[in-house]
Amino acid sequence: MRTVEEHQAVVNALLPAMPEETVPLAEAHGRVLARDVVAQVPLPGFDNSAMDGYAGRWAELAGPDGGPVRLPVAEDIPAGRSDVVALAPGTVHRIMTGAPLPPGADVVVPVELTDGGTDVVEIRDRPPVGSHLRGAGEDIAAGTVALSAGAPLGAAQLGLAAAVGVTALTVRRRPRVLVLSTGSELVEPGRPLQRGQIYESNSTLLAAAVEEAGGVPRRLHFVPDDVDQFLTTVRAELASADLLVTSGGVSAGAYEVVKDAFRTLGTVEFGKVAMQPGGPQGAGTVDGVPVVTLPGNPVSSFVSFEVFVRPALRRALGHAFPDRLRAPARLSGPLRSPAGRRQFLRGRYDGGEVSQVGGPGSHLVAHLARANCLVVVPEDVTELPAGAHVDVVLIEGALQ
């Protein structure tokens, strides 16, 4: 029986890094940066004002007794003005936020500390020298790395790329993932159910999980427990895929179509992993394409994807930190766990405390939908009291 880490290593080894491609900035949201981005310009690009007010020389902005002073307003400097002239002695320039600072100025007096004059202004109070100034390159200097390879490209990262003059980014191509559920008992949602049948849900669950991880899912129509039909369906689509993920047909019973079909090829290895849910697993290649086979129960399928497939996809995309965020938490109630198995229980995490959602059963998909974390119980722990500290994997946004 494999450990969780051993099977993670097997799955990770199947998926190489995705090839690079260059996309326009507008199409890069949600992608992963493949190469460092160097700032083409400094930020700010020039000394500028952080406030609406008056640019002046600090030493001239108070009367002999330190009280108010009246000074002529020699220039108006709106944001965007490029022909800024030097500050003449004994004058101030009215200046707007973001406008270039005139040479000679060493402070900006906010308009709230003045009478707001346009020809002559009364300075009622002066802030310390250097106040309300933004220095050129204060945020980032030209020629330095603005974004590092492996960074997920969210709104802030794209905003920075645009601010330093970048129009396109080199990213990893999104992996194309085939998702296939098997089972003669499966019926497409919306059709009438006969006794012994269930609605097929795993492909919907897994396709959404693939997309959230950064891949491009393609759902194959689920197939009955027929080896020839299964292989025909799979091989018709594999050439266009980077990964095939199946659910169902990998346990130890009869009619396990995935195991029966792939065993004949000799390129997919099946076995048990010391975890619950999700013990039966498989991984290998078919026609050179990586394949990961997951159990058919919805919770087992989801947990297996989270533990094995999601981090492998994110590594292939170039994520510097491919794993889910983890947090320590206190148990709101006691729990039990089987010896020798790493337990992944569904939980609800809030304010440093976690409560178990439903039981350990791998069919309890409604409880899974209410969870926002997985409570991880080590293999050598069989019982924990209320208040005990546990490790939780945060899955908020995947299913909740």
Side-chain angles (χ1 to χ4, degrees):
M1 185 179 294
R2 282 178 178 164
T3 66
V4 170
E5 287 76 15
E6 286 170 344
H7 195 63
Q8 284 174 330
V10 169
V11 175
N12 285 335
L14 289 175
L15 275 174
M18 290 292 104
E20 297 178 1
E21 62 181 6
T22 300
V23 299
L25 209 57
E27 297 176 15
H29 186 242
R31 307 292 291 274
V32 181
L33 194 62
R35 295 176 181 265
D36 291 350
V37 172
V38 174
Q40 300 176 13
V41 296
L43 292 179
F46 48 85
D47 296 340
N48 67 86
S49 175
M51 298 284 285
D52 292 340
Y54 297 85
R57 289 182 173 85
W58 183 85
E60 300 174 348
L61 299 184
D65 59 353
V69 65
R70 292 175 62 82
L71 294 170
V73 180
E75 294 281 344
D76 260 345
I77 313 176
R81 181 172 172 179
S82 58
D83 59 339
V84 176
V85 299
L87 182 68
T91 69
V92 295
H93 291 182
R94 192 168 70 148
I95 193 168
M96 302 299 114
T97 302
L101 194 70
D106 59 8
V107 69
V108 170
V109 180
V111 68
E112 293 84 0
L113 301 182
T114 75
D115 66 356
T118 56
D119 296 320
V120 176
V121 64
E122 181 178 77
I123 308 293
R124 296 168 177 162
D125 194 9
R126 63 176 177 176
V129 64
S131 294
H132 312 304
L133 307 181
R134 300 167 176 162
E138 179 182 306
D139 191 8
I140 189 169
T144 59
V145 174
L147 295 168
S148 298
L153 295 171
Q157 291 73 32
L158 294 180
L160 173 58
V164 297
V166 172
T167 60
L169 293 169
T170 302
V171 298
R172 296 284 177 185
R173 177 174 62 74
R174 298 177 68 191
R176 301 170 298 226
V177 182
L178 296 177
V179 176
L180 175 62
S181 296
T182 65
S184 296
E185 76 279 16
L186 302 177
V187 174
E188 186 175 351
R191 294 185 177 180
L193 287 176
Q194 304 296 322
R195 184 173 178 81
Q197 294 181 328
I198 60 172
Y199 287 126
E200 195 280 317
S201 61
N202 278 1
S203 67
T204 298
L205 181 154
L206 292 172
V210 166
E211 188 168 20
E212 195 213 23
V216 180
R218 172 173 164 73
R219 291 169 58 198
L220 299 183
H221 193 274
F222 51 88
V223 297
D225 294 326
D226 180 275
V227 168
D228 292 336
Q229 187 174 345
F230 174 81
L231 285 175
T232 299
T233 300
V234 166
R235 284 186 146 148
E237 301 285 349
L238 273 180
S240 63
D242 299 303
L243 173 68
L244 169 66
V245 177
T246 69
S247 65
V250 296
S251 295
Y255 307 109
E256 302 295 348
V257 64
V258 175
K259 183 182 288 187
D260 293 343
F262 287 161
R263 268 184 171 166
T264 64
L265 304 179
T267 55
V268 178
E269 184 179 356
F270 297 91
K272 291 274 191 178
V273 176
M275 63 185 287
Q276 188 182 54
Q281 301 286 339
T285 62
V286 172
D287 298 344
V289 176
V291 174
V292 179
T293 68
L294 308 179
N297 277 316
V299 176
S300 297
S301 190
F302 176 79
V303 170
S304 299
F305 183 94
E306 282 288 319
V307 174
F308 303 118
V309 183
R310 187 180 192 275
L313 284 175
R314 287 168 60 84
R315 280 188 178 85
L317 279 164
H319 278 276
F321 303 99
D323 296 325
R324 290 277 195 189
L325 292 176
R326 291 184 173 234
R330 297 182 311 277
L331 285 173
S332 64
L335 61 78
R336 293 179 179 274
S337 184
R341 300 283 193 277
R342 188 175 306 177
Q343 184 86 254
F344 294 90
L345 296 168
R346 278 66 68 205
R348 192 77 196 173
Y349 175 81
D350 184 24
E353 186 171 87
V354 65
S355 55
Q356 188 173 342
V357 178
S362 57
H363 63 293
L364 301 175
V365 68
H367 292 105
L368 173 63
R370 290 193 288 273
N372 67 2
C373 71
L374 297 176
V375 181
V376 184
V377 184
E379 292 87 337
D380 60 348
V381 174
T382 58
E383 190 172 353
L384 288 170
H389 287 272
V390 292
D391 194 26
V392 301
V393 179
L394 302 178
I395 59 170
E396 186 79 41
L399 287 178
Q400 55 181 304

